[in-house]
Amino acid sequence: MEQDALGSESLDRAFMALADPVRRAMVARLSRGDATVNELAEPFAITKQAVSKHIQVLEHAGLVTRSRDAQRRPVHLDAAALERLTAWIDQYRLIAESRFRQLDQLLGAGVSHHEQENTPAKKKEELK
Amino acid sequence: MEQDALGSESLDRAFMALADPVRRAMVARLSRGDATVNELAEPFAITKQAVSKHIQVLEHAGLVTRSRDAQRRPVHLDAAALERLTAWIDQYRLIAESRFRQLDQLLGAGVSHHEQENTPAKKKEELK
DNA sequence: TCATTGATCAACTGATTGGTTGATTAAGAG
DNA sequence: CTCTTAATCAACCAATCAGTTGATCAATGA
């Protein structure tokens, strides 16, 4: 049932990585081209060690990769990893939206209600 | 600075809310219909207080809403909030992908004049 | 060789989080 | 009224995290 082809921990790290404005700004910067730690550190008032940690978080989350070019370690954004995240979210968003449309048809047009509906049947599953 | 029309803190909370397997399972469950705290707690081996906190996290992140039905407080998934997240990710994913395609063409032409690219010798990476 | 630059490692601190137990509110049902 | 159910509040604890300073590594250039 779980089509988590990319493991729960991987999603943990990916979403956690994006749950920080500094790292999101880095993603935004990297979308325009590879950059080094120092270049990524410039806009922020934090030490380079902190920036290095942020990049390690992004790397461990699979969102960026790194290569070596002399002393420099350019950081590269992995667009495919971003796509995997949107795929996970859309999976459930589309289910919810289609369910909402079904309900809207059942209630008939013109009935403006607040969005609450009950599940037709309670499925009590036990998995621990 | 931030061109986030949604506010940085809102994105912080939304991504952070999804960076937890319990809360993601709740989102998956809620995509199939509204549910109460107790219903959401069933699959997990944690107390209902902990589940209540998880739901508060989702609610504070704007991913779910709640209403009142007698004693029950059904939780409702907000599909529009999920869409805002995918929109944020796609914004940068598409930039990165278009840049990747541009670079791919320039490699065929020979000379790169891209101002932001630091690694002219970059070549295609393997797709996963 | 030595100095410089880019980047990381190690240890520490303060703040935050996830979970618990126990008490409490709110709304019915008897 | 009391009793039960649903859910939250409050206090607390262990674990984790963001950021710092200081030392170290790796590659290059003098």
Side-chain angles (χ1 to χ4, degrees), chain B residues 6-78:
Chain B
L6 307 170
S8 186
E9 292 179 5
S10 175
L11 284 171
D12 284 8
R13 287 190 280 261
F15 282 121
M16 184 68 83
L18 293 181
D20 183 288
V22 171
R23 289 192 289 263
R24 282 201 305 278
M26 289 175 174
V27 168
R29 165 65 183 83
L30 291 170
S31 72
R32 294 173 184 87
D34 296 1
T36 64
V37 171
N38 281 312
E39 289 165 351
L40 289 169
E42 248 182 90
F44 304 105
I46 56 177
T47 62
K48 300 186 164 69
Q49 288 93 331
V51 173
S52 192
K53 283 188 181 180
H54 279 302
I55 295 172
Q56 284 179 26
V57 170
L58 288 167
E59 187 180 19
H60 197 222
L63 298 179
V64 305
T65 58
R66 317 184 70 172
S67 53
R68 179 164 272 285
D69 174 29
Q71 303 105 313
R72 295 175 180 77
R73 313 282 311 270
V75 184
H76 173 78
L77 183 64
D78 186 350

Side-chain angles (χ1 to χ4, degrees), chain A residues 10-11 19 35 58 67:
Chain A
S10 176
L11 284 172
L58 289 167
S67 52

Side-chain angles (χ1 to χ4, degrees), chain A residues 83-117:
Chain A
E83 192 179 16
R84 284 193 288 272
L85 290 187
T86 58
W88 188 92
I89 298 176
D90 281 340
Q91 168 185 3
Y92 297 109
R93 178 174 67 86
L94 295 176
I95 292 174
E97 285 178 351
S98 87
R99 183 178 54 80
F100 185 76
R101 280 191 295 271
Q102 284 180 2
L103 183 74
D104 213 32
Q105 287 185 355
L106 282 176
L107 291 177
V111 180
S112 65
H113 55 91
H114 54 293
E115 305 88 3
Q116 90 169 11
E117 69 267 13

Side-chain angles (χ1 to χ4, degrees), chain A residues 6-115:
Chain A
L6 30 96
S8 185
E9 292 180 5
S10 176
L11 284 172
D12 284 8
R13 288 191 280 261
F15 282 122
M16 183 69 83
L18 293 181
D20 183 288
V22 171
R23 289 191 290 262
R24 283 200 305 277
M26 290 175 174
V27 168
R29 165 65 183 82
L30 291 170
S31 73
R32 293 173 185 87
D34 296 0
T36 64
V37 170
N38 281 313
E39 288 165 350
L40 289 170
E42 248 182 82
F44 304 105
I46 56 179
T47 62
K48 300 189 164 95
Q49 287 93 331
V51 173
S52 191
K53 283 188 181 180
H54 279 301
I55 295 173
Q56 285 178 23
V57 170
L58 289 167
E59 188 179 19
H60 197 223
L63 297 179
V64 304
T65 58
R66 316 184 72 172
S67 52
R68 179 164 271 286
D69 174 30
Q71 304 104 312
R72 295 175 181 77
R73 313 280 314 268
V75 184
H76 174 77
L77 183 64
D78 185 350
L82 295 181
E83 192 179 16
R84 284 193 288 272
L85 290 187
T86 58
W88 188 92
I89 298 176
D90 281 340
Q91 168 185 3
Y92 297 109
R93 178 174 67 86
L94 295 176
I95 292 174
E97 285 178 351
S98 87
R99 183 178 54 80
F100 185 76
R101 280 191 295 271
Q102 284 180 2
L103 183 74
D104 213 32
Q105 287 185 355
L106 282 176
L107 291 177
V111 180
S112 65
H113 55 91
H114 54 293
E115 305 88 3

